Amino acid sequence: MESVEKQAWRTSGIRGLLLALVCLVIPPLGLFLFRTLVIVRPNEAVVLTRLGKYSGTVREPGWYTVNPLAYKNRVSLKIRTNDSEYQKVNDMDGNPVEVSAMVVWRVEDTAKAVFDVLDYDDFVGLQTQAALHHTASRFPYDSHGQERLSLSGDPGAVAEALRTELGERLAPAGIVVTDVRLRRIAYAPEVAGNMLRRQQASAVVGARAKIVEGALGMIDSALSHIGESGRVVLDDDHKARLVSNLLVVLCSEQHVQPVLNTGPGAE
């Protein structure tokens, strides 16, 4: 009877010991197996670091097993957009203008993005502001009739210059700029009124010059026609009066009554 009880006690003791061993072994083993697994989603990369050294990057979507001691850093490869805030910049002529830009970018080199900069998202934002400020200061807001690129007249060329400079600034972080668009280009509020009047004056002067040019062409044609017909003979004084009256008629914005002198003693 006693031997049977001892045998039952030993059996239960062994079972308890095995159960305790299973409880102690399975969780660490499960954690070990769990750390070897990594799932990579589409447009995502996993940067692996083992014992402080870069081990590689997994880019293809799927389910992988890696070294359980490796540290896994996920990096999105999706195309992203950075919409910069409005900032005040002095253009090439010294006029204060407000500009903003939309930058489309993506991570190309995951190792540089993770190890060479502290936070590549903040890095893109700060470099965009710096590049936009520098690029806008290299161009005038308006060409004012001169043969030069301007912010308002050539936004495509300015955006391309910004894309080139921003690409150079972001290359150390492994980031590629795919597109840049200028969103806002305007004079600062404190000078907007004066600049608007200047633009209006330039437009009026240009229109007047065009009107005068056309009027002189019409007068030349009229004088040539009068001279060729031979019906009316005008001396220099009467030609001058005729030109003066025709200029008044053709260039005036209001209705006028011309006085034509076509010969000696004519009024």
Side-chain angles (χ1 to χ4, degrees):
M1 186 65 179
E2 292 180 358
S3 61
V4 173
E5 291 178 354
K6 290 180 179 180
Q7 184 176 2
W9 181 83
R10 290 175 180 175
T11 302
S12 62
I14 293 173
R15 290 177 179 177
L17 181 61
L18 291 176
L19 181 60
L21 290 175
V22 169
C23 293
L24 292 175
V25 171
I26 287 182
L29 180 61
L31 180 62
F32 177 82
L33 294 176
F34 177 76
R35 288 188 59 83
T36 62
L37 301 178
V38 59
I39 298 176
V40 181
R41 294 182 288 270
N43 284 327
E44 184 184 57
V46 177
V47 180
L48 303 176
T49 307
R50 182 173 60 87
L51 300 179
K53 296 182 179 181
Y54 173 63
S55 299
T57 300
V58 183
R59 289 176 172 268
E60 295 296 326
W63 187 10
Y64 300 90
T65 57
V66 298
N67 191 315
L69 299 179
Y71 176 76
K72 299 176 281 290
N73 195 324
R74 297 184 179 273
V75 178
S76 175
L77 302 179
K78 297 179 181 179
I79 297 176
R80 281 178 274 188
T81 301
N82 180 55
D83 194 1
S84 68
E85 299 178 354
Y86 298 152
Q87 58 176 312
K88 188 181 296 184
V89 182
N90 289 334
D91 68 354
M92 191 173 70
D93 294 334
N95 300 315
V97 296
E98 291 183 348
V99 293
S100 66
M102 180 188 68
V103 178
V104 181
W105 61 278
R106 61 182 176 83
V107 176
E108 178 70 19
D109 192 323
T110 56
K112 289 183 177 181
V114 172
F115 301 121
D116 291 353
V117 293
L118 182 62
D119 188 324
Y120 59 86
D121 282 309
D122 291 341
F123 186 75
V124 171
L126 293 175
Q127 292 300 325
T128 298
Q129 295 289 338
L132 178 60
H133 189 283
H134 180 257
T135 302
S137 64
R138 294 165 47 198
F139 297 90
Y141 179 83
D142 198 334
S143 61
H144 300 297
Q146 303 179 24
E147 294 295 332
R148 58 178 182 173
L149 298 177
S150 63
L151 295 172
S152 59
D154 305 278
V158 177
E160 182 61 25
L162 176 59
R163 189 186 70 82
T164 301
E165 180 173 347
L166 190 57
E168 295 175 354
R169 288 173 176 264
L170 297 181
I175 294 172
V176 174
V177 178
T178 60
D179 192 19
V180 173
R181 290 288 185 272
L182 296 180
R183 291 189 61 250
R184 174 181 173 85
I185 306 173
Y187 281 117
E190 59 268 24
V191 298
N194 294 332
M195 291 303 173
L196 178 59
R197 285 191 291 271
R198 178 178 179 178
Q199 291 178 349
Q200 291 173 343
S202 298
V204 170
V205 170
R208 287 292 184 182
K210 194 69 176 178
I211 292 173
V212 171
E213 181 182 355
L216 291 176
M218 296 173 65
I219 292 172
D220 287 339
S221 178
L223 292 176
S224 298
H225 182 70
I226 292 174
E228 292 174 358
S229 65
R231 298 176 182 176
V232 179
V233 178
L234 299 176
D235 57 18
D236 292 341
D237 183 59
H238 287 85
K239 286 182 180 180
R241 294 181 184 179
L242 177 61
V243 170
S244 176
N245 284 327
L246 288 177
L247 283 175
V248 171
V249 172
L250 296 174
C251 298
S252 177
E253 295 183 355
Q254 299 178 354
H255 179 71
V256 294
Q257 185 67 34
V259 178
L260 300 180
N261 294 285
T262 57
E267 295 295 338

